[in-house]
Amino acid sequence: MKNLKKLLIGILVFALALGTLTACQSNEPAEDSQKTEEQNEEKQNEGNNAEQDEPKDLEKITVAASPTPHAEILAQVKDALAEKGYELEVIEYTDYVQPNLVVDSGEIVANFFQHGPYLNNFNEEQGTKLVSVAPIHYEPLGVYAGKSADLASIPEGGAIAVPNDTTNEARALLLLEANGVIRLKEGAGLLATKNDIAENPKNIDIVELEAAQVSRVIGEVDFVVLNGNYALNAGLKVADAVAKEEQESEAAQTYANLVVVREGNENKEDVKALVEALKSDEVKQFIADTYAGAVVAID
């Protein structure tokens, strides 16, 4: 009997010990599993945060532009384009030839420096295939005083410097004609050169210079006729002009400055994004506030 009791007590003790051991073993994996899940969650959160912090790759848009005002205007749209996934790179040129050649070759996406008559003439002369996608602004051509102050009282044999490229020279001559300095042959129009001057009562010497050089001779001639961007570069204001193209004039519309691309690229998404940004109300306000009439935005 005593042996039976001892046997039962031994079985009971063994069962209790086994249960305790099992409980301990089942608790430890549960804790480890919970820790593992927490660690995995932390790693996942770290990964998500890293993805959020990592900057997205932006597609680059390269634009060739004259320094003033074109590059300055383009600088205003960098943030807006970045929000659309584009990085704007502006490459500045001081001449009117290279910006077209690099776009025609495909080296650069677009340019922003020229008006329609110049673009058309360039295509004809150079055999390029460039097209306008949007007019952005126009820059009133102005006559600025050099050695003389009153255009109507320019001395006999006086000199006036004008841009020598085909369309801008014609534009300058038309402005001088409108102010009674000369008279052009009938029909000379947008292709006029000084050889098309029919009447020159005071024998004015029309000095033809590369556009970027005109402002540099302002102290050597009686007057200079300047494109808006070159007037700005020379520190002149539209209010300084003794004569200028008016906003409502045909010239103002004809000589709007354009965003230009190679033919076939007009409907590319990056080009559309660029034009939309340049046409924004923010850019129009910047132009009005910054250039005080020397540059005028086009709706």
Side-chain angles (χ1 to χ4, degrees):
M1 191 69 173
K2 289 180 180 179
N3 290 338
L4 181 59
K5 287 182 179 179
K6 288 180 181 180
L7 179 61
L8 290 173
I9 291 171
I11 292 171
L12 181 59
V13 170
F14 177 77
L16 291 171
L18 183 62
T20 302
L21 179 61
T22 303
C24 291
Q25 290 175 342
S26 63
N27 284 340
E28 287 175 3
E31 291 174 0
D32 290 344
S33 176
Q34 183 176 356
K35 289 180 181 178
T36 302
E37 289 179 3
E38 291 174 354
Q39 290 171 350
N40 288 339
E41 185 175 350
E42 287 177 3
K43 289 180 180 179
Q44 184 175 357
N45 289 336
E46 288 174 1
N48 290 339
N49 291 335
E51 289 178 3
Q52 292 174 359
D53 295 338
E54 184 179 345
K56 295 180 180 178
D57 291 334
L58 299 178
E59 180 182 341
K60 183 172 287 189
I61 304 176
T62 52
V63 181
S66 298
T68 305
H70 307 82
E72 295 169 351
I73 294 171
L74 285 164
Q76 305 307 307
V77 304
K78 285 189 175 182
D79 290 343
L81 286 173
E83 291 176 1
K84 296 180 180 180
Y86 298 102
E87 176 189 355
L88 177 63
E89 180 182 5
V90 179
I91 301 174
E92 297 183 5
Y93 291 85
T94 57
D95 71 285
Y96 284 175
V97 176
Q98 289 302 314
N100 275 338
L101 295 180
V102 293
V103 172
D104 188 63
S105 70
E107 180 182 341
I108 288 180
V109 173
N111 66 44
F112 178 36
F113 76 97
Q114 66 193 315
H115 50 59
Y118 180 83
L119 172 63
N120 295 336
N121 186 69
F122 191 93
N123 279 332
E124 289 176 9
E125 290 187 350
Q126 301 293 330
T128 48
K129 294 184 177 180
L130 302 169
V131 294
S132 166
V133 288
I136 305 300
H137 72 268
Y138 80 92
E139 301 164 17
L141 199 71
V143 181
Y144 295 86
K147 294 192 298 183
S148 297
D150 183 0
L151 193 58
S153 301
I154 187 171
E156 179 79 20
I160 300 177
V162 301
N164 67 358
D165 57 277
T166 304
T167 52
N168 282 309
E169 179 170 0
R171 185 180 176 187
L173 294 174
L174 288 167
L175 181 57
L176 293 175
E177 181 181 49
N179 284 273
V181 178
I182 59 172
R183 188 177 69 79
L184 296 170
K185 296 176 183 175
E186 181 121 9
L190 297 178
L191 297 178
T193 70
K194 69 178 185 179
N195 295 326
D196 293 302
I197 296 175
E199 294 181 13
N200 187 354
K202 293 189 175 181
N203 296 311
I204 302 302
D205 181 17
I206 302 297
V207 182
E208 300 166 305
L209 296 172
E210 198 276 324
Q213 304 300 318
V214 174
S215 65
R216 299 179 184 180
V217 300
I218 194 167
E220 303 170 21
V221 296
D222 292 279
F223 296 94
V224 296
V225 184
L226 293 172
N227 302 72
N229 59 321
Y230 288 121
L232 291 170
N233 283 334
L236 299 169
K237 299 177 181 178
V238 68
D240 298 327
V242 298
K244 65 181 179 66
E245 294 167 336
E246 298 301 330
Q247 183 170 355
E248 64 275 8
S249 69
E250 181 181 354
Q253 302 305 313
T254 302
Y255 298 107
N257 282 217
L258 313 167
V259 173
V260 171
V261 299
R262 186 168 62 174
E263 187 178 55
N265 291 341
E266 303 94 311
N267 295 314
K268 289 181 63 179
E269 291 304 316
D270 54 353
V271 173
K272 289 181 179 179
L274 174 64
V275 169
E276 183 179 354
L278 287 170
K279 286 285 194 180
S280 69
D281 291 339
E282 290 78 11
V283 168
K284 291 176 182 177
Q285 191 61 53
F286 169 79
I287 289 173
D289 294 342
T290 305
Y291 301 113
V295 181
V296 181
I298 293 176
D299 292 332

